[in-house]
Amino acid sequence: MNNTSTSQFTSLCLKIVGLILIISALLDYLTLAIPFQPLDSQWQISFTGQIVDRGIVPMVGISFILVAVWIEATLSNTPKKSGFDVKLPVFILASLLGLLFLLLVPLHLNNLRLASDNAINQIQQGADQAETRIKEQYDQLNALAQDPQRLQQLEAQLKQIDQAISSGKVEGQTLNPQQLQRLQETQQQFQNFRELAKNPEALEARLSELQTQLRDQKLEREGRAKTEAIKQGLRTGLSSLMLAIGYIVIGWLGLKGFGGTSLSPKKAPVR
């Protein structure tokens, strides 16, 4: 096989591989869009991230086709007849993909901002609910500490639980391991209530400790949400921007030089 035949075979292989890469990538984009929910910001974030991760595949396919065209041009000693030129749809596709990835940059960053704000609002709501529950428990314990009758009832309940745990029976029925474990947990909880109710200073200290833990957890979760949004924005946003630049350069330069000899080697004039 001579050099010309080898080059022709190489050109054909590059075109086939490039076409397969482009078609498979576009089909992949279509399948990723299912189910189609363009108004859902979470769907937009997921879809954008996935197509950006696969965004280099069509560019590789386009490069293969353009290299194949260049190889064919180097082998041709006669000017190409007018007709269908594979470079035109390739350059148009590159321009469209460049526009797509360019538009995805601000859209993705805005969606991440909205998602981050929503996550922070949910964290704030959860922290408010937890703080409300803590305050309710504090009020109950404070009321318990000021009511001797309720303290006596608590002591009586603890004695009954102690007897049940010691005997392993409740009302004559033997406790199974799960029931015994739940009873021990209830005993521990009641004992904590009793200790806190009898010690107002410890109750105040416990309240302050829980509020501090809750505040620290809220700040930590908010920080993680913001950091994750920044990381995802930088990774996907910059990748999409670089893909947009690459596709636009290929498409713009190709369309600008289309019809000329941008992909054809310049031949020395015959004297």
Side-chain angles (χ1 to χ4, degrees), residues 58-232:
M59 185 178 292
V60 174
I62 290 173
S63 301
F64 280 1
I65 293 177
L66 294 179
V67 170
V69 172
W70 179 82
I71 292 175
E72 289 181 349
T74 60
L75 298 176
S76 177
N77 294 323
T78 58
K80 187 175 180 180
K81 297 180 180 180
S82 59
F84 177 76
D85 194 334
V86 71
K87 300 192 299 293
L88 179 59
V90 167
F91 292 143
I92 292 176
L93 176 62
S95 300
L96 292 176
L97 288 175
L99 178 61
L100 171 64
F101 285 110
L102 184 62
L103 293 177
L104 286 178
V105 175
L107 177 64
H108 186 65
L109 294 179
N110 183 62
N111 285 331
L112 286 177
R113 180 186 61 81
L114 295 176
S116 177
D117 292 343
N118 184 48
I120 291 175
N121 289 335
Q122 291 180 352
I123 292 171
Q124 182 64 47
Q125 292 176 2
D128 292 341
Q129 293 174 358
E131 188 171 2
T132 300
R133 289 194 298 269
I134 292 174
K135 191 64 171 61
E136 289 175 352
Q137 291 181 357
Y138 169 78
D139 293 338
Q140 291 174 359
L141 290 173
N142 196 29
L144 180 63
Q146 298 175 5
D147 191 343
Q149 185 177 359
R150 293 180 61 184
L151 277 175
Q152 292 177 357
Q153 293 176 353
L154 180 61
E155 292 287 354
Q157 290 177 343
L158 274 172
K159 289 181 180 179
Q160 293 177 356
I161 293 174
D162 291 340
Q163 293 175 357
I165 293 175
S166 299
S167 63
K169 294 181 180 181
V170 174
E171 297 180 353
Q173 296 182 354
T174 303
L175 296 172
N176 58 40
Q178 291 79 9
Q179 292 174 332
L180 184 60
Q181 182 180 0
R182 287 197 296 268
L183 202 59
Q184 289 173 342
E185 292 174 354
T186 303
Q187 179 192 41
Q188 183 64 42
Q189 184 179 14
F190 281 8
Q191 287 175 348
N192 292 336
F193 285 168
R194 181 183 60 185
E195 296 300 326
L196 290 174
K198 290 182 177 180
N199 190 344
E201 294 181 356
L203 180 59
E204 291 290 343
R206 181 58 177 166
L207 174 63
S208 177
E209 179 185 357
L210 291 175
Q211 289 176 336
T212 301
Q213 290 179 356
L214 185 62
R215 190 180 306 111
D216 293 341
Q217 290 175 359
K218 185 188 74 169
L219 293 176
E220 181 182 356
R221 293 178 63 188
E222 288 178 350
R224 285 202 304 266
K226 293 178 180 179
T227 301
E228 184 63 26
I230 293 173
K231 287 171 57 179
Q232 191 173 356

Side-chain angles (χ1 to χ4, degrees), residues 29 48-60 62 93-105 235-251:
Y29 292 168
T48 300
Q50 293 181 84
I51 65 172
V52 168
D53 289 340
R54 296 162 172 80
I56 195 65
V57 178
M59 185 178 292
V60 174
I62 290 173
L93 176 62
S95 300
L96 292 176
L97 288 175
L99 178 61
L100 171 64
F101 285 110
L102 184 62
L103 293 177
L104 286 178
V105 175
R235 186 182 70 85
T236 304
L238 290 178
S239 297
S240 184
L241 181 61
M242 288 188 292
L243 288 170
I245 293 173
Y247 281 116
I248 289 174
V249 168
I250 293 174

